[in-house]
Amino acid sequence: MVDFTISVTEAEQRRLREFISALRTECKAQMHPESMFNTESFESEFRSKLLTHHCFMGSPLFQESFDSAFITACAYAGHEVEKAPIGQRFWDVKVNGIRISLKSSKSKGLRPGTLHISKLTEAAWIQDCRTAAKRCEETHRLIRAYCAEVDAIIRLRYFQVNSLYELVEIPVDLFSQVLKIGMAHFASDGPTINIPIGKKPCDFTLKLDRSDAKVTIGNINKELCTVHGTWQLPE
């Protein structure tokens, strides 16, 4: 074992003290009792990554850093992990055979009861569609392909107002309801459709964003999702 009092500089010693202090930041974790991630090994590994970014580096765990933290924690916890092959469009990692799309958000407008995915996937064809029939056809084709290739979306949300992280799973089969939506609802150039039709509150809202050529999913009812865990930091 390295004797840090001899082999490191004063500046390095300061960073090491700061790093240990960050890792020991008070953090109240709460895991779903039936979650596949409800193990000490996953939670402690993920928490250490979270605290490294949030408290030591001074930036929220987000995007590629979240992907790395989640994949590392899964591997450390003994799950079978396989990263998506280069060029895979829809999912990022396979955990115990479950194909998962990883997403994260730190928007100030996060709502506790609903989730928003600003870009489920790109869809260049949106800008070329000129008829309701074509928009309906292409949307059905895309959602059918997405549901066939992805099993779940796992999203890390950071609520800045109260320094809370939330790990939520959105079941992809929820989006198969899009396949029941008829051509009449795709009349506008960039349709926004609450699904199921007529249900209040809806399960989610589908939007074809013509300006950015992407599919957006909003107003996802969190009651239909699974909160795998939360990490509360000091406010």
PDB file of all heavy atoms in Angstrom, residues 22-42:
ATOM      1  N   ALA A  22     -15.775  14.633  -0.124  1.00  0.00           N
ATOM      2  CA  ALA A  22     -16.895  14.574  -1.070  1.00  0.00           C
ATOM      3  C   ALA A  22     -17.588  13.221  -1.007  1.00  0.00           C
ATOM      4  O   ALA A  22     -18.826  13.134  -0.988  1.00  0.00           O
ATOM      5  CB  ALA A  22     -16.407  14.854  -2.483  1.00  0.00           C
ATOM      6  N   LEU A  23     -16.811  12.145  -0.974  1.00  0.00           N
ATOM      7  CA  LEU A  23     -17.383  10.800  -0.938  1.00  0.00           C
ATOM      8  C   LEU A  23     -18.165  10.542   0.346  1.00  0.00           C
ATOM      9  O   LEU A  23     -19.045   9.676   0.376  1.00  0.00           O
ATOM     10  CB  LEU A  23     -16.272   9.753  -1.074  1.00  0.00           C
ATOM     11  CG  LEU A  23     -15.594   9.647  -2.453  1.00  0.00           C
ATOM     12  CD1 LEU A  23     -14.486   8.604  -2.410  1.00  0.00           C
ATOM     13  CD2 LEU A  23     -16.597   9.309  -3.537  1.00  0.00           C
ATOM     14  N   ARG A  24     -17.827  11.288   1.397  1.00  0.00           N
ATOM     15  CA  ARG A  24     -18.491  11.101   2.686  1.00  0.00           C
ATOM     16  C   ARG A  24     -19.568  12.135   2.940  1.00  0.00           C
ATOM     17  O   ARG A  24     -20.073  12.267   4.051  1.00  0.00           O
ATOM     18  CB  ARG A  24     -17.447  11.117   3.800  1.00  0.00           C
ATOM     19  CG  ARG A  24     -16.500   9.915   3.724  1.00  0.00           C
ATOM     20  CD  ARG A  24     -15.436   9.943   4.794  1.00  0.00           C
ATOM     21  NE  ARG A  24     -14.585   8.746   4.696  1.00  0.00           N
ATOM     22  CZ  ARG A  24     -13.495   8.542   5.432  1.00  0.00           C
ATOM     23  NH1 ARG A  24     -13.117   9.450   6.325  1.00  0.00           N
ATOM     24  NH2 ARG A  24     -12.791   7.439   5.286  1.00  0.00           N
ATOM     25  N   THR A  25     -19.956  12.861   1.886  1.00  0.00           N
ATOM     26  CA  THR A  25     -21.056  13.818   2.001  1.00  0.00           C
ATOM     27  C   THR A  25     -22.331  13.093   2.418  1.00  0.00           C
ATOM     28  O   THR A  25     -22.640  12.007   1.922  1.00  0.00           O
ATOM     29  CB  THR A  25     -21.298  14.530   0.650  1.00  0.00           C
ATOM     30  OG1 THR A  25     -20.110  15.221   0.267  1.00  0.00           O
ATOM     31  CG2 THR A  25     -22.451  15.515   0.749  1.00  0.00           C
ATOM     32  N   GLU A  26     -23.061  13.702   3.305  1.00  0.00           N
ATOM     33  CA  GLU A  26     -24.332  13.105   3.736  1.00  0.00           C
ATOM     34  C   GLU A  26     -25.235  12.899   2.516  1.00  0.00           C
ATOM     35  O   GLU A  26     -25.481  13.820   1.746  1.00  0.00           O
ATOM     36  CB  GLU A  26     -25.017  14.017   4.746  1.00  0.00           C
ATOM     37  CG  GLU A  26     -26.355  13.494   5.236  1.00  0.00           C
ATOM     38  CD  GLU A  26     -27.037  14.452   6.191  1.00  0.00           C
ATOM     39  OE1 GLU A  26     -26.439  15.492   6.518  1.00  0.00           O
ATOM     40  OE2 GLU A  26     -28.176  14.160   6.597  1.00  0.00           O
ATOM     41  N   CYS A  27     -25.704  11.706   2.340  1.00  0.00           N
ATOM     42  CA  CYS A  27     -26.552  11.381   1.190  1.00  0.00           C
ATOM     43  C   CYS A  27     -27.530  10.282   1.614  1.00  0.00           C
ATOM     44  O   CYS A  27     -27.127   9.166   1.942  1.00  0.00           O
ATOM     45  CB  CYS A  27     -25.696  10.908   0.016  1.00  0.00           C
ATOM     46  SG  CYS A  27     -26.652  10.443  -1.454  1.00  0.00           S
ATOM     47  N   LYS A  28     -28.802  10.618   1.594  1.00  0.00           N
ATOM     48  CA  LYS A  28     -29.830   9.661   2.000  1.00  0.00           C
ATOM     49  C   LYS A  28     -30.341   8.922   0.773  1.00  0.00           C
ATOM     50  O   LYS A  28     -31.028   9.491  -0.079  1.00  0.00           O
ATOM     51  CB  LYS A  28     -30.976  10.373   2.707  1.00  0.00           C
ATOM     52  CG  LYS A  28     -32.042   9.419   3.237  1.00  0.00           C
ATOM     53  CD  LYS A  28     -33.139  10.170   3.974  1.00  0.00           C
ATOM     54  CE  LYS A  28     -34.201   9.208   4.501  1.00  0.00           C
ATOM     55  NZ  LYS A  28     -35.303   9.944   5.197  1.00  0.00           N
ATOM     56  N   ALA A  29     -30.003   7.652   0.665  1.00  0.00           N
ATOM     57  CA  ALA A  29     -30.437   6.835  -0.474  1.00  0.00           C
ATOM     58  C   ALA A  29     -31.653   6.008  -0.094  1.00  0.00           C
ATOM     59  O   ALA A  29     -31.745   5.493   1.026  1.00  0.00           O
ATOM     60  CB  ALA A  29     -29.313   5.919  -0.929  1.00  0.00           C
ATOM     61  N   GLN A  30     -32.579   5.894  -1.023  1.00  0.00           N
ATOM     62  CA  GLN A  30     -33.763   5.056  -0.824  1.00  0.00           C
ATOM     63  C   GLN A  30     -34.013   4.259  -2.091  1.00  0.00           C
ATOM     64  O   GLN A  30     -34.224   4.836  -3.156  1.00  0.00           O
ATOM     65  CB  GLN A  30     -34.981   5.911  -0.472  1.00  0.00           C
ATOM     66  CG  GLN A  30     -36.223   5.089  -0.137  1.00  0.00           C
ATOM     67  CD  GLN A  30     -37.350   5.956   0.407  1.00  0.00           C
ATOM     68  OE1 GLN A  30     -37.154   7.118   0.739  1.00  0.00           O
ATOM     69  NE2 GLN A  30     -38.541   5.393   0.487  1.00  0.00           N
ATOM     70  N   MET A  31     -33.986   2.930  -1.982  1.00  0.00           N
ATOM     71  CA  MET A  31     -34.141   2.063  -3.142  1.00  0.00           C
ATOM     72  C   MET A  31     -35.490   1.350  -3.100  1.00  0.00           C
ATOM     73  O   MET A  31     -36.010   1.012  -2.032  1.00  0.00           O
ATOM     74  CB  MET A  31     -33.016   1.025  -3.180  1.00  0.00           C
ATOM     75  CG  MET A  31     -31.614   1.611  -3.184  1.00  0.00           C
ATOM     76  SD  MET A  31     -31.265   2.619  -4.643  1.00  0.00           S
ATOM     77  CE  MET A  31     -31.229   1.350  -5.934  1.00  0.00           C
ATOM     78  N   HIS A  32     -36.046   1.123  -4.286  1.00  0.00           N
ATOM     79  CA  HIS A  32     -37.291   0.360  -4.396  1.00  0.00           C
ATOM     80  C   HIS A  32     -37.018  -1.073  -3.955  1.00  0.00           C
ATOM     81  O   HIS A  32     -36.072  -1.709  -4.442  1.00  0.00           O
ATOM     82  CB  HIS A  32     -37.781   0.375  -5.836  1.00  0.00           C
ATOM     83  CG  HIS A  32     -39.172  -0.145  -6.023  1.00  0.00           C
ATOM     84  ND1 HIS A  32     -39.524  -1.461  -5.780  1.00  0.00           N
ATOM     85  CD2 HIS A  32     -40.303   0.483  -6.445  1.00  0.00           C
ATOM     86  CE1 HIS A  32     -40.801  -1.622  -6.043  1.00  0.00           C
ATOM     87  NE2 HIS A  32     -41.308  -0.472  -6.441  1.00  0.00           N
ATOM     88  N   PRO A  33     -37.810  -1.615  -3.028  1.00  0.00           N
ATOM     89  CA  PRO A  33     -37.516  -2.949  -2.488  1.00  0.00           C
ATOM     90  C   PRO A  33     -37.509  -4.067  -3.528  1.00  0.00           C
ATOM     91  O   PRO A  33     -36.835  -5.079  -3.338  1.00  0.00           O
ATOM     92  CB  PRO A  33     -38.627  -3.165  -1.447  1.00  0.00           C
ATOM     93  CG  PRO A  33     -39.707  -2.193  -1.818  1.00  0.00           C
ATOM     94  CD  PRO A  33     -39.003  -1.019  -2.409  1.00  0.00           C
ATOM     95  N   GLU A  34     -38.236  -3.891  -4.638  1.00  0.00           N
ATOM     96  CA  GLU A  34     -38.300  -4.939  -5.651  1.00  0.00           C
ATOM     97  C   GLU A  34     -37.437  -4.635  -6.878  1.00  0.00           C
ATOM     98  O   GLU A  34     -37.485  -5.355  -7.869  1.00  0.00           O
ATOM     99  CB  GLU A  34     -39.757  -5.154  -6.085  1.00  0.00           C
ATOM    100  CG  GLU A  34     -40.659  -5.636  -4.947  1.00  0.00           C
ATOM    101  CD  GLU A  34     -42.096  -5.845  -5.390  1.00  0.00           C
ATOM    102  OE1 GLU A  34     -42.369  -5.713  -6.598  1.00  0.00           O
ATOM    103  OE2 GLU A  34     -42.942  -6.136  -4.522  1.00  0.00           O
ATOM    104  N   SER A  35     -36.634  -3.595  -6.800  1.00  0.00           N
ATOM    105  CA  SER A  35     -35.784  -3.225  -7.920  1.00  0.00           C
ATOM    106  C   SER A  35     -34.618  -4.190  -8.075  1.00  0.00           C
ATOM    107  O   SER A  35     -34.039  -4.651  -7.086  1.00  0.00           O
ATOM    108  CB  SER A  35     -35.228  -1.807  -7.715  1.00  0.00           C
ATOM    109  OG  SER A  35     -34.220  -1.517  -8.660  1.00  0.00           O
ATOM    110  N   MET A  36     -34.254  -4.489  -9.320  1.00  0.00           N
ATOM    111  CA  MET A  36     -33.091  -5.334  -9.579  1.00  0.00           C
ATOM    112  C   MET A  36     -31.796  -4.640  -9.159  1.00  0.00           C
ATOM    113  O   MET A  36     -30.752  -5.274  -9.025  1.00  0.00           O
ATOM    114  CB  MET A  36     -33.023  -5.696 -11.067  1.00  0.00           C
ATOM    115  CG  MET A  36     -32.773  -4.533 -11.998  1.00  0.00           C
ATOM    116  SD  MET A  36     -32.785  -4.986 -13.769  1.00  0.00           S
ATOM    117  CE  MET A  36     -31.281  -5.923 -13.876  1.00  0.00           C
ATOM    118  N   PHE A  37     -31.876  -3.325  -8.923  1.00  0.00           N
ATOM    119  CA  PHE A  37     -30.703  -2.559  -8.509  1.00  0.00           C
ATOM    120  C   PHE A  37     -30.663  -2.339  -6.999  1.00  0.00           C
ATOM    121  O   PHE A  37     -29.786  -1.621  -6.507  1.00  0.00           O
ATOM    122  CB  PHE A  37     -30.688  -1.209  -9.230  1.00  0.00           C
ATOM    123  CG  PHE A  37     -30.839  -1.324 -10.722  1.00  0.00           C
ATOM    124  CD1 PHE A  37     -31.921  -0.774 -11.380  1.00  0.00           C
ATOM    125  CD2 PHE A  37     -29.898  -2.024 -11.473  1.00  0.00           C
ATOM    126  CE1 PHE A  37     -32.067  -0.884 -12.750  1.00  0.00           C
ATOM    127  CE2 PHE A  37     -30.038  -2.154 -12.848  1.00  0.00           C
ATOM    128  CZ  PHE A  37     -31.121  -1.586 -13.488  1.00  0.00           C
ATOM    129  N   ASN A  38     -31.590  -2.956  -6.295  1.00  0.00           N
ATOM    130  CA  ASN A  38     -31.657  -2.788  -4.845  1.00  0.00           C
ATOM    131  C   ASN A  38     -30.663  -3.718  -4.147  1.00  0.00           C
ATOM    132  O   ASN A  38     -31.035  -4.687  -3.480  1.00  0.00           O
ATOM    133  CB  ASN A  38     -33.080  -3.051  -4.342  1.00  0.00           C
ATOM    134  CG  ASN A  38     -33.206  -2.829  -2.837  1.00  0.00           C
ATOM    135  OD1 ASN A  38     -32.433  -2.064  -2.250  1.00  0.00           O
ATOM    136  ND2 ASN A  38     -34.160  -3.499  -2.206  1.00  0.00           N
ATOM    137  N   THR A  39     -29.380  -3.418  -4.342  1.00  0.00           N
ATOM    138  CA  THR A  39     -28.314  -4.149  -3.656  1.00  0.00           C
ATOM    139  C   THR A  39     -27.316  -3.134  -3.122  1.00  0.00           C
ATOM    140  O   THR A  39     -27.163  -2.042  -3.674  1.00  0.00           O
ATOM    141  CB  THR A  39     -27.579  -5.118  -4.605  1.00  0.00           C
ATOM    142  OG1 THR A  39     -26.943  -4.359  -5.654  1.00  0.00           O
ATOM    143  CG2 THR A  39     -28.551  -6.125  -5.213  1.00  0.00           C
ATOM    144  N   GLU A  40     -26.644  -3.499  -2.052  1.00  0.00           N
ATOM    145  CA  GLU A  40     -25.658  -2.589  -1.466  1.00  0.00           C
ATOM    146  C   GLU A  40     -24.542  -2.286  -2.456  1.00  0.00           C
ATOM    147  O   GLU A  40     -24.059  -1.150  -2.539  1.00  0.00           O
ATOM    148  CB  GLU A  40     -25.079  -3.203  -0.193  1.00  0.00           C
ATOM    149  CG  GLU A  40     -24.071  -2.291   0.500  1.00  0.00           C
ATOM    150  CD  GLU A  40     -23.510  -2.902   1.772  1.00  0.00           C
ATOM    151  OE1 GLU A  40     -23.996  -3.974   2.178  1.00  0.00           O
ATOM    152  OE2 GLU A  40     -22.579  -2.304   2.347  1.00  0.00           O
ATOM    153  N   SER A  41     -24.146  -3.288  -3.239  1.00  0.00           N
ATOM    154  CA  SER A  41     -23.036  -3.095  -4.170  1.00  0.00           C
ATOM    155  C   SER A  41     -23.400  -2.097  -5.264  1.00  0.00           C
ATOM    156  O   SER A  41     -22.599  -1.210  -5.601  1.00  0.00           O
ATOM    157  CB  SER A  41     -22.611  -4.433  -4.783  1.00  0.00           C
ATOM    158  OG  SER A  41     -23.719  -5.115  -5.341  1.00  0.00           O
ATOM    159  N   PHE A  42     -24.599  -2.197  -5.840  1.00  0.00           N
ATOM    160  CA  PHE A  42     -24.999  -1.233  -6.869  1.00  0.00           C
ATOM    161  C   PHE A  42     -25.156   0.148  -6.268  1.00  0.00           C
ATOM    162  O   PHE A  42     -24.612   1.141  -6.796  1.00  0.00           O
ATOM    163  CB  PHE A  42     -26.313  -1.651  -7.540  1.00  0.00           C
ATOM    164  CG  PHE A  42     -26.808  -0.631  -8.545  1.00  0.00           C
ATOM    165  CD1 PHE A  42     -26.449  -0.734  -9.879  1.00  0.00           C
ATOM    166  CD2 PHE A  42     -27.615   0.437  -8.155  1.00  0.00           C
ATOM    167  CE1 PHE A  42     -26.881   0.222 -10.817  1.00  0.00           C
ATOM    168  CE2 PHE A  42     -28.042   1.392  -9.074  1.00  0.00           C
ATOM    169  CZ  PHE A  42     -27.677   1.272 -10.405  1.00  0.00           C
TER     170      PHE A  42
END
